[in-house]
């Protein structure tokens, strides 16, 4: 029952209740900040919501709205509103929920932040879904049709064996640069203390995959050549990944994904990925300090030769998006320049820097709260750009300033040219320059394309670039 005490409900067709559903991804609270980059939030469609939409009946009227790329209207009256909530869009999600509930519309919420702080979310939602939704969400939908939904649903089983196809018909492909995103696994086999998603999967099964044949069918159904695997660790299950890459050979795809340093160095799986079309990979280097790695429970990076992993990827013609975290307890004022220098010298194509963020629900948050180091509970600041805690060897201002300077320095024209100079072949130098410069130096161009609704027209250029990295 909604806040108003009345069911704003659907009509029956035969013995089945048919309903009108609105699924919403609220935009980040940072939309008006100087950090806001329209291109960053126009990359991928809301795949999680499109996946859950598959559990509704074909007769249901389902709308999917991504507030990052389209206007959200709040004057309609759906039977059910479902929202995906993470920490930096939580306040906006709550505002949207309160607006709908004030008019008797039933609101369900799920996602990372809801799972971390369910009691907070329940102040604004009629029902919350905790943890991964592939088992809990259809239970909620079934109870909702029967007019007996519970306040809270928690995942009891975790499997991707029998999930319905993603409702890609609900995705407005033209609004995204890389609409062919997909996820073939859930979670991660590792348990880093600062990881938001580690808390989301909790103590149950934290990493599992779909069937290889299901993944290949989905890939085969997607138009064009480019794919982006949004999995946290595409190489996390070696047998699955090997069979997936074997099945992709001959499909003439080019794709991007994420993996760990260990999975790149161990065995020959990364060679199989390259043969299948992997051309760009997100790698979590995070820190060069063994003390920081041990503190963060990131044992998979301990005693690993980062430079060797980079060389292996470069030899295979794979571009690298390196991830680095600032503000761990062993970091000092020189950490920022050392990190940038290493990334430039090792020809990292793009770098993603983060201020360490103790997300609620993580072991890191619990530890820092016990130590009295949390300085802000404003969730809109938990964006990996603000220091919301007291660092051990830096001031909050020094951490934030160092983070900003690292971005400026790495993406300076001087360092872009210097980084490209370390590539071995002319084609790799040109691809590196185009990819790095295009990502950070063409902001007005991207904004113009987004406003004109032409962003997706640039996808062939990305496919061409990725096809010529070797």
């Amino acid at each position: 029952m909604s806040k108003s005490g009345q069911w704003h409900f659907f009509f029956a067709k035969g013995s089945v209740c048919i309903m009108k559903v609105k699924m919403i991804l609220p935009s980040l609270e940072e939309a008006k900040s100087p950090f806001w980059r329209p291109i960053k939030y126009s990359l991928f469609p809301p795949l999680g919501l499109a996946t859950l939409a598959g559990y509704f009946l074909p007769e249901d009227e389902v709308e999917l709205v991504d507030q990052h790329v389209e206007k959200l209207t709040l004057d309609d009256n759906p039977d059910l509103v479902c929202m995906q909530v993470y920490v930096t869009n939580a306040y906006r999600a709550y505002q949207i929920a309160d607006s709908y509930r004030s008019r008797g519309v039933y609101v369900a919420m799920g996602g990372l932040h809801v799972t971390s702080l369910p009691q907070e979310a329940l102040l604004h939602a009629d029902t919350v879904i905790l943890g991964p939704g592939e088992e809990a969400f259809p239970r909620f939908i079934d109870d909702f049709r029967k007019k007996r939904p519970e306040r809270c649903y928690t995942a009891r089983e975790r499997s991707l064996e029998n999930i319905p196809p993603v409702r890609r018909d609900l995705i407005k492909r033209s609004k995204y640069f890389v609409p062919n995103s997909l996820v073939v696994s859930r979670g991660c086999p590792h348990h880093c203390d600062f990881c938001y998603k580690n808390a989301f999967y909790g103590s149950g099964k934290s990493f599992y995959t779909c069937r290889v044949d299901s993944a290949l069918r989905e890939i085969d159904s997607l138009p064009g050549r480019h794919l982006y695997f949004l999995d946290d660790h595409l190489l996390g299950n070696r047998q699955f990944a090997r069979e997936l890459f074997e099945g992709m050979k001959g499909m003439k795809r080019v794709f991007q994904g994420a993996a760990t340093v260990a999975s790149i160095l161990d065995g020959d799986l990364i060679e199989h990925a390259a043969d299948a079309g992997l051309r760009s990979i997100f790698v979590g280097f995070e820190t060069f300090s063994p003390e920081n790695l041990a503190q963060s429970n990131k044992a998979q990076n301990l005693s690993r030769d980062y430079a060797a992993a980079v060389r292996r990827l470069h030899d295979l013609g794979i571009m690298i998006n390196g991830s680095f975290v600032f503000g761990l307890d062993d970091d000092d004022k020189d950490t920022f320049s050392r990190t940038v220098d290493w990334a430039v010298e090792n020809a990292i194509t793009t770098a993603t820097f983060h201020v360490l963020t103790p997300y609620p629900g993580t072991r890191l948050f619990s530890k820092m709260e016990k130590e009295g180091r949390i300085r802000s509970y404003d969730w809109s600041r938990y964006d990996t750009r603000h220091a919301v805690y007291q660092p051990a060897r830096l001031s909050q201002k020094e951490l934030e300033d160092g983070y900003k300077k690292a971005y400026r320095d790495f993406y300076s024209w001087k360092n872009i040219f210097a980084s490209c100079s370390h590539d071995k072949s002319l084609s790799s130098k040109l691809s590196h320059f185009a990819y790095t410069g295009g990502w950070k130096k063409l902001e007005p161009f991207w904004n113009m394309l987004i406003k004109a609704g032409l962003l997706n027209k640039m996808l062939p250029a990305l496919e061409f670039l990725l096809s010529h990295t070797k």
Side-chain angles (χ1 to χ4, degrees):
M1 186 173 290
S2 65
K3 185 177 179 181
S4 67
Q6 300 293 324
W7 282 100
H8 176 274
F9 220 70
F10 33 83
F11 65 91
K13 182 178 180 181
S15 60
V16 179
C17 291
I18 308 303
M19 54 184 169
K20 182 177 181 180
V21 183
K22 191 169 188 177
M23 308 191 80
I24 302 171
L25 179 62
S27 63
L28 306 182
E29 283 294 304
E30 61 188 351
K32 295 181 180 180
S33 85
F35 296 111
W36 176 254
R37 297 188 67 213
I39 180 58
K40 181 177 179 180
Y41 301 106
S42 300
L43 292 176
F44 312 114
L47 201 61
L49 290 175
T51 299
L52 294 181
Y55 290 103
F56 292 107
L57 297 174
E59 295 84 1
D60 290 328
E61 183 182 337
V62 182
E63 179 187 11
L64 180 55
V65 181
D66 179 357
Q67 198 181 15
H68 297 98
V69 300
E70 57 189 310
K71 184 178 179 180
L72 173 67
T73 58
L74 300 177
D75 57 357
D76 54 340
N77 288 283
D79 302 303
L80 173 64
V81 167
C82 301
M83 278 192 281
Q84 181 180 353
V85 185
Y86 40 91
V87 66
T88 46
N89 77 354
Y91 296 141
R92 179 159 286 136
Y94 296 160
Q95 293 169 358
I96 295 168
D98 292 346
S99 175
Y100 274 115
R101 293 180 78 217
S102 69
R103 293 183 282 110
V105 177
Y106 200 97
V107 174
M109 290 182 179
L112 296 166
H113 190 71
V114 171
T115 301
S116 298
L117 297 173
Q119 295 307 313
E120 177 185 288
L122 279 169
L123 297 174
H124 307 274
D126 296 293
T127 287
V128 294
I129 314 294
L130 307 185
E134 57 263 8
E135 185 273 335
F137 189 71
R139 277 195 287 122
F140 160 65
I141 294 303
D142 184 58
D143 288 348
F144 185 71
R145 289 189 196 278
K146 296 173 182 176
K147 302 185 181 181
R148 60 183 191 196
E150 299 177 9
R151 287 281 278 161
C152 181
Y153 291 81
T154 303
R156 296 190 295 220
E157 299 175 4
R158 298 182 184 181
S159 172
L160 301 179
E161 288 289 313
N162 298 304
I163 65 171
V166 177
R167 286 290 304 274
R168 294 187 181 273
D169 59 300
L170 300 177
I171 293 173
K172 303 170 182 69
R173 289 180 58 88
S174 64
K175 293 184 178 295
Y176 301 97
F177 189 26
V178 285
N180 283 356
S181 58
L182 67 161
V183 178
V184 296
S185 65
R186 297 288 189 272
C188 179
H190 305 294
H191 303 280
C192 305
D193 281 2
F194 54 70
C195 181
Y196 204 178
K197 290 190 178 180
N198 186 53
F200 180 71
Y201 287 93
S203 59
K205 186 190 293 186
S206 64
F207 184 68
Y208 46 106
T209 70
C210 68
R211 293 172 57 92
V212 173
D213 56 354
S214 297
L216 292 174
R217 278 198 301 272
E218 184 174 15
I219 291 169
D220 196 49
S221 71
L222 296 173
R225 294 190 63 203
H226 180 261
L227 305 171
Y228 202 115
F229 288 92
L230 294 174
D231 304 75
D232 295 313
H233 189 358
L234 185 57
L235 311 185
N237 182 317
R238 300 186 69 83
Q239 181 178 348
F240 170 83
R242 187 178 296 272
E243 293 178 6
L244 175 68
F245 299 146
E246 185 63 32
M248 290 179 65
K249 290 179 182 177
M251 285 187 170
K252 298 182 179 181
R253 298 283 189 170
V254 290
F255 64 93
Q256 299 171 264
T260 63
V261 174
S263 66
I264 292 165
L265 289 172
D266 295 343
D268 62 353
L269 192 56
I270 194 66
E271 280 79 10
H272 286 273
D275 289 343
L278 178 64
R279 295 293 177 266
S280 172
I281 194 163
F282 180 95
V283 182
F285 298 107
E286 316 306 10
T287 176
F288 300 104
S289 163
E291 290 80 5
N292 283 342
L293 292 172
Q295 170 202 340
S296 305
N297 194 37
K298 200 172 181 67
Q300 67 271 20
N301 277 26
L302 279 169
S303 302
R304 293 291 182 173
D305 188 340
Y306 287 5
V310 168
R311 288 194 299 271
R312 193 169 193 178
L313 292 171
H314 284 165
D315 288 344
L316 293 169
I318 298 172
M319 294 191 288
I320 304 168
N321 178 10
S323 173
F324 303 92
V325 176
F326 297 132
L328 290 156
D329 283 357
D330 195 42
D331 287 348
D332 56 24
K333 294 180 181 179
D334 294 329
T335 297
F336 311 102
S337 59
R338 287 198 306 266
T339 301
V340 170
D341 290 346
W342 183 90
V344 172
E345 290 168 7
N346 285 273
I348 301 300
T349 319
T350 56
T352 303
F353 301 113
H354 312 268
V355 171
L356 179 68
T357 302
Y359 295 114
T362 61
R363 289 191 293 267
L364 177 64
F365 182 89
S366 297
K367 176 177 179 291
M368 286 193 169
E369 195 167 43
K370 288 178 182 177
E371 295 171 350
R373 294 172 63 185
I374 300 295
R375 295 291 180 265
S376 173
Y377 291 89
D378 178 352
W379 305 135
S380 66
R381 293 177 61 83
Y382 280 59
D383 57 1
T384 78
R385 294 163 177 162
H386 295 89
V388 296
Y389 68 100
Q390 178 56 56
R393 303 177 64 184
L394 297 162
S395 70
Q396 289 176 270
K397 185 176 187 304
E398 286 172 335
L399 176 52
E400 291 184 3
D401 288 348
Y403 156 82
K404 295 172 187 175
K405 187 174 187 302
Y407 257 122
R408 288 196 304 271
D409 289 350
F410 180 83
Y411 286 102
S412 68
W413 281 119
K414 174 186 174 182
N415 276 335
I416 290 175
F417 281 111
S419 184
C420 292
S421 71
H422 294 294
D423 286 305
K424 294 180 180 179
S425 69
L426 178 61
S427 63
S428 62
K429 292 178 192 293
L430 292 175
S431 296
H432 184 151
F433 178 79
Y435 198 93
T436 308
W439 176 238
K440 275 291 185 179
K441 296 298 188 180
L442 297 181
E443 205 75 22
F445 174 71
W446 294 120
N447 293 345
M448 178 189 70
L449 290 178
I450 291 168
K451 289 179 181 178
L454 299 174
L455 180 62
N456 192 242
K457 300 297 183 181
M458 290 299 295
L459 182 55
L462 176 61
E463 293 178 346
F464 177 83
L465 182 61
L466 293 174
S467 300
H468 294 79
T469 57
K470 291 188 177 183

